[in-house]
Amino acid sequence: MKKPILSLLTFFAASSLSITSCQTPPEVNQEDVTRIITTLASDEMEGRMIFTPGIEKASQFIQEEFKKAGLEYLEGMDSYNQQFNIYSITPGNAIISVDGKVVEPQNFLTMSSAENLEWPELEGVTVHTVAASDNFQSKYGEISRMSGKNLVLVDPAHKDFFGRIKNFTLRANRATEVNNNDATVMVLTNNTAIKSLNVKIENTVKAQSLSNVTGKITGNRENEIVLFGAHYDHLGIREGMEGDNLFNGANDDASGTTAVITLAKYFAAMGKKPERTIVFVAFTAEESGGYGSRHFSEQLNPDEIVAMFNIEMIGKGAKEGPNTAWITGFEKSSFGKLLQDAVEGTEYTFYPDPYPTQNLFYRSDNATLARLGVPAHSISTTQIDIDQDYHKASDEVSTLDMAHMTNTIKAIAKAAEGMISVAQTPTRVDPTGLR
């Protein structure tokens, strides 16, 4: 016999997540959802670009909302503000000598997060080669992720691509730490059997401050964590652009941040300690390289994170119609299947990411934790292949469906119940092969 289709309101009225008979069940309120996202995506927030007053205003607003919800601070913190530094590294003087001969500047490039680097000899340096017949573009991906001291000898047949990389490396880059031990030096040369090497590099390093916003509800199992996250930064103001040059980022990702705030209030209002600890985080700098999630991942033991709900762009209806949302990396753990089971019989449906060629699993803050084995997946509803407002100044609250967004937050809350109560535990992601 087919189960009846129940509304999410019915589920919330009879939630299994420890609401006692003398309490009024908490609710996800569309009016409050609208208030939160309208504030986050307002012109006052100036597009929430990192290192601007706008993102500081957004951070303060999120902290105030966490305080209203009554969230606790994370272990070892005295506020919701998880501040950290990243470093802007501007290339400076560099002299490279191979076999006693100084290499012309156009024939070498350096990739490092070092302030000062000096290799007086080949000892301790790993030498790699890129032959004329090699696919340099493919090998470059591997090269850019190498650690330690590396010298890459590139055949002149790849001169054009080498030049493009060099132009890119001449710009200031960002790093999470200053590291004088790891560096890659690439030299355009026919010589693949060098006998001596001398490298001297001087860069200019500037510390820059960023901050995530974090809070938690401690559960009976303090070291078993269900995590809800979204990034609150966006693209800011584009100077010199004609017309509307303020990128409000309503769907991307004020919608996800609104969900995190709303879920924090919802679970905090339950009135009873959850079984598993629930952590809420608004990440910074997703648009600029995922620095917020990278820092956050280093503050917790990833083995203690049972699941991560990364919420991205839920302000518009999905491809499969109303009351549906899709999950990235569906095949990489049982997370998605458990969410499907949790809302079975309701009006809501979760399904696998319909845009696999866009590699969305790797393009948001979930990827950092997934690479550490956490069942970390993004939940979204936007038709990313045809959306006209993605990364445009037109991404404003007026383009969003508040009823749809509110219902999606309700569905996420319902779907997370089993993981919070220990009734469900998703399988871990196998980090092997994750890019």
Coordinates of all heavy atoms in Angstrom, one line a residue, residues 210-251:
L210 N 40.8 37.3 8.0 CA 39.5 36.8 7.6 C 38.8 36.2 8.9 O 39.4 35.9 9.9 CB 39.6 35.7 6.5 CG 40.1 36.2 5.2 CD1 40.4 34.9 4.3 CD2 39.1 37.0 4.5
S211 N 37.5 35.9 8.7 CA 36.8 35.2 9.9 C 35.6 34.5 9.4 O 34.8 34.9 8.6 CB 36.4 36.2 10.9 OG 35.5 37.2 10.5
N212 N 35.5 33.2 9.9 CA 34.3 32.4 9.8 C 33.4 32.9 11.0 O 33.9 33.4 12.0 CB 34.6 30.9 9.9 CG 35.4 30.4 8.8 OD1 35.2 30.8 7.6 ND2 36.3 29.5 9.1
V213 N 32.1 32.5 10.9 CA 31.2 32.7 12.1 C 30.7 31.3 12.5 O 30.2 30.6 11.6 CB 30.0 33.6 11.7 CG1 29.2 33.8 13.0 CG2 30.5 34.9 11.2
T214 N 31.0 30.9 13.7 CA 30.7 29.5 14.2 C 29.9 29.5 15.5 O 30.1 30.4 16.3 CB 32.0 28.8 14.4 OG1 32.8 29.4 15.4 CG2 32.9 28.7 13.1
G215 N 29.2 28.5 15.7 CA 28.5 28.2 16.9 C 28.1 26.8 17.0 O 28.1 26.1 16.0
K216 N 27.6 26.4 18.2 CA 27.2 25.0 18.3 C 26.1 24.8 19.4 O 25.9 25.6 20.2 CB 28.4 24.1 18.7 CG 29.0 24.4 20.1 CD 30.1 23.4 20.5 CE 30.6 23.6 21.9 NZ 31.6 22.6 22.3
I217 N 25.5 23.6 19.3 CA 24.6 23.1 20.4 C 25.3 21.8 20.8 O 25.3 20.8 20.0 CB 23.2 22.8 19.9 CG1 22.6 24.1 19.2 CG2 22.3 22.3 21.0 CD1 21.3 23.9 18.5
T218 N 25.8 21.7 22.0 CA 26.5 20.5 22.5 C 25.5 19.4 22.7 O 24.5 19.6 23.4 CB 27.3 20.8 23.8 OG1 28.2 21.9 23.5 CG2 28.0 19.6 24.3
G219 N 25.8 18.2 22.2 CA 24.9 17.1 22.4 C 25.4 16.2 23.5 O 26.5 16.4 24.1
N220 N 24.7 15.1 23.7 CA 25.1 14.1 24.7 C 26.4 13.5 24.2 O 27.2 13.1 25.1 CB 24.0 13.0 24.8 CG 22.8 13.6 25.5 OD1 22.9 14.4 26.5 ND2 21.6 13.2 25.0
R221 N 26.5 13.3 22.9 CA 27.8 12.8 22.3 C 28.6 14.0 21.8 O 28.4 14.4 20.7 CB 27.5 11.8 21.2 CG 26.6 10.7 21.7 CD 26.5 9.6 20.6 NE 25.5 8.6 21.0 CZ 25.4 7.3 20.5 NH1 26.3 7.0 19.5 NH2 24.5 6.5 20.9
E222 N 29.4 14.6 22.7 CA 30.1 15.8 22.4 C 31.0 15.7 21.1 O 31.2 16.6 20.4 CB 30.9 16.3 23.6 CG 30.0 16.7 24.7 CD 30.8 17.4 25.8 OE1 31.9 17.9 25.6 OE2 30.3 17.4 27.0
N223 N 31.6 14.5 20.9 CA 32.6 14.3 19.9 C 32.0 13.6 18.6 O 32.7 13.1 17.8 CB 33.7 13.5 20.4 CG 34.5 14.3 21.5 OD1 34.5 15.5 21.5 ND2 35.0 13.5 22.5
E224 N 30.7 13.7 18.5 CA 30.0 13.3 17.3 C 29.2 14.5 16.7 O 28.3 14.9 17.4 CB 29.1 12.1 17.5 CG 29.8 10.8 17.9 CD 28.9 9.6 18.0 OE1 27.8 9.6 17.4 OE2 29.3 8.7 18.7
I225 N 29.7 15.0 15.6 CA 29.2 16.3 15.1 C 28.4 16.2 13.8 O 28.9 15.5 12.9 CB 30.4 17.2 15.0 CG1 31.1 17.5 16.3 CG2 29.9 18.6 14.3 CD1 32.4 18.2 16.2
V226 N 27.3 16.8 13.8 CA 26.6 17.1 12.5 C 26.7 18.6 12.2 O 26.4 19.4 13.1 CB 25.1 16.7 12.7 CG1 24.3 17.1 11.4 CG2 24.9 15.2 13.0
L227 N 27.2 18.8 11.1 CA 27.6 20.2 10.7 C 26.8 20.8 9.6 O 26.5 20.1 8.6 CB 29.1 20.2 10.2 CG 29.7 21.4 9.6 CD1 29.8 22.5 10.7 CD2 31.1 21.1 9.0
F228 N 26.3 22.0 9.8 CA 25.6 22.8 8.8 C 26.4 24.0 8.4 O 26.8 24.8 9.3 CB 24.2 23.2 9.3 CG 23.3 22.1 9.7 CD1 23.2 21.6 10.9 CD2 22.4 21.6 8.7 CE1 22.3 20.6 11.2 CE2 21.5 20.6 8.9 CZ 21.5 20.1 10.2
G229 N 26.7 24.1 7.1 CA 27.5 25.2 6.7 C 27.1 25.9 5.4 O 26.4 25.2 4.6
A230 N 27.5 27.1 5.2 CA 27.3 27.8 3.9 C 28.3 29.0 3.9 O 28.7 29.4 5.0 CB 25.9 28.4 3.8
H231 N 28.6 29.5 2.7 CA 29.5 30.6 2.7 C 28.8 31.9 2.7 O 27.7 32.0 2.0 CB 30.5 30.5 1.5 CG 30.0 30.7 0.2 ND1 29.9 31.9 -0.4 CD2 29.4 29.8 -0.7 CE1 29.4 31.8 -1.7 NE2 29.1 30.6 -1.8
Y232 N 29.3 32.9 3.4 CA 28.6 34.2 3.4 C 29.2 35.3 2.6 O 28.7 36.4 2.5 CB 28.3 34.6 4.9 CG 29.5 35.1 5.7 CD1 29.7 36.5 5.9 CD2 30.5 34.3 6.2 CE1 30.8 37.0 6.6 CE2 31.5 34.7 6.9 CZ 31.7 36.1 7.1 OH 32.8 36.6 7.9
D233 N 30.4 35.0 2.0 CA 31.1 36.0 1.2 C 30.5 36.0 -0.2 O 29.8 35.1 -0.6 CB 32.6 35.7 1.1 CG 32.9 34.4 0.4 OD1 32.3 33.4 0.8 OD2 33.6 34.4 -0.6
H234 N 30.7 37.1 -0.9 CA 30.3 37.1 -2.3 C 31.3 38.0 -3.1 O 32.5 38.2 -2.6 CB 28.9 37.6 -2.5 CG 28.3 37.3 -3.9 ND1 28.3 36.0 -4.4 CD2 27.8 38.1 -4.8 CE1 27.8 36.1 -5.6 NE2 27.5 37.3 -5.9
L235 N 30.9 38.6 -4.2 CA 31.8 39.3 -5.1 C 32.0 40.8 -5.0 O 32.8 41.4 -5.7 CB 31.4 38.9 -6.6 CG 31.3 37.4 -6.9 CD1 30.8 37.2 -8.3 CD2 32.6 36.7 -6.7
G236 N 31.2 41.4 -4.1 CA 31.5 42.8 -3.8 C 31.0 43.8 -4.9 O 30.0 43.5 -5.5
I237 N 31.7 44.8 -5.0 CA 31.4 45.9 -6.0 C 32.5 45.9 -7.1 O 33.7 45.9 -6.8 CB 31.3 47.3 -5.3 CG1 30.2 47.3 -4.2 CG2 31.1 48.4 -6.3 CD1 30.2 48.5 -3.3
R238 N 32.1 45.9 -8.3 CA 33.0 45.9 -9.4 C 33.2 47.4 -9.9 O 32.3 48.0 -10.6 CB 32.5 45.1 -10.6 CG 32.3 43.6 -10.3 CD 33.6 42.9 -10.4 NE 33.5 41.5 -10.0 CZ 33.2 40.5 -10.8 NH1 32.9 40.8 -12.1 NH2 33.1 39.3 -10.4
E239 N 34.3 48.0 -9.5 CA 34.6 49.4 -9.9 C 34.7 49.5 -11.4 O 35.3 48.6 -12.1 CB 35.8 49.9 -9.2 CG 35.7 49.9 -7.7 CD 34.7 50.8 -7.1 OE1 34.3 51.7 -7.9 OE2 34.3 50.6 -6.0
G240 N 34.2 50.6 -12.0 CA 34.3 50.8 -13.4 C 33.3 50.1 -14.3 O 33.3 50.3 -15.5
M241 N 32.5 49.3 -13.7 CA 31.4 48.5 -14.4 C 30.2 49.4 -14.6 O 29.8 50.1 -13.7 CB 31.0 47.3 -13.6 CG 29.9 46.5 -14.2 SD 29.6 45.0 -13.2 CE 28.0 44.5 -13.9
E242 N 29.7 49.5 -15.8 CA 28.5 50.3 -16.1 C 27.3 49.7 -15.5 O 27.1 48.5 -15.4 CB 28.3 50.5 -17.6 CG 29.5 51.3 -18.3 CD 29.2 51.5 -19.7 OE1 28.1 51.2 -20.2 OE2 30.1 52.1 -20.4
G243 N 26.3 50.5 -15.1 CA 25.0 50.1 -14.6 C 25.2 49.6 -13.1 O 26.1 50.0 -12.4
D244 N 24.4 48.6 -12.8 CA 24.4 48.1 -11.4 C 25.7 47.3 -11.2 O 26.0 46.3 -11.9 CB 23.2 47.1 -11.2 CG 23.2 46.6 -9.8 OD1 24.0 46.9 -9.0 OD2 22.3 45.8 -9.5
N245 N 26.6 47.8 -10.4 CA 27.9 47.1 -10.2 C 28.1 46.5 -8.8 O 29.1 46.1 -8.4 CB 29.0 48.1 -10.5 CG 29.1 49.2 -9.4 OD1 28.2 49.4 -8.7 ND2 30.3 49.9 -9.4
L246 N 26.9 46.4 -8.1 CA 26.9 45.8 -6.7 C 26.4 44.4 -6.8 O 25.2 44.2 -7.2 CB 26.1 46.6 -5.8 CG 26.4 46.4 -4.3 CD1 25.9 47.6 -3.4 CD2 25.7 45.1 -3.8
F247 N 27.2 43.4 -6.5 CA 26.8 42.0 -6.6 C 26.3 41.5 -5.2 O 27.1 41.1 -4.3 CB 28.0 41.1 -7.0 CG 28.4 41.3 -8.4 CD1 28.9 42.6 -8.9 CD2 28.3 40.3 -9.4 CE1 29.3 42.8 -10.2 CE2 28.7 40.5 -10.7 CZ 29.2 41.7 -11.1
N248 N 25.0 41.6 -5.1 CA 24.3 41.3 -3.8 C 24.5 39.9 -3.3 O 24.4 39.6 -2.1 CB 22.9 41.7 -3.8 CG 22.7 43.2 -4.1 OD1 22.7 43.6 -5.3 ND2 22.5 44.0 -3.1
G249 N 24.6 38.9 -4.3 CA 24.7 37.5 -3.9 C 23.6 37.0 -3.0 O 23.8 36.3 -2.0
A250 N 22.4 37.2 -3.5 CA 21.2 36.8 -2.7 C 21.1 35.3 -2.7 O 21.0 34.6 -1.6 CB 19.9 37.4 -3.2
N251 N 21.1 34.7 -3.9 CA 21.0 33.2 -4.0 C 22.4 32.6 -3.6 O 22.4 31.6 -3.0 CB 20.6 32.8 -5.4 CG 20.1 31.4 -5.5 OD1 19.6 30.8 -4.5 ND2 20.2 30.8 -6.7

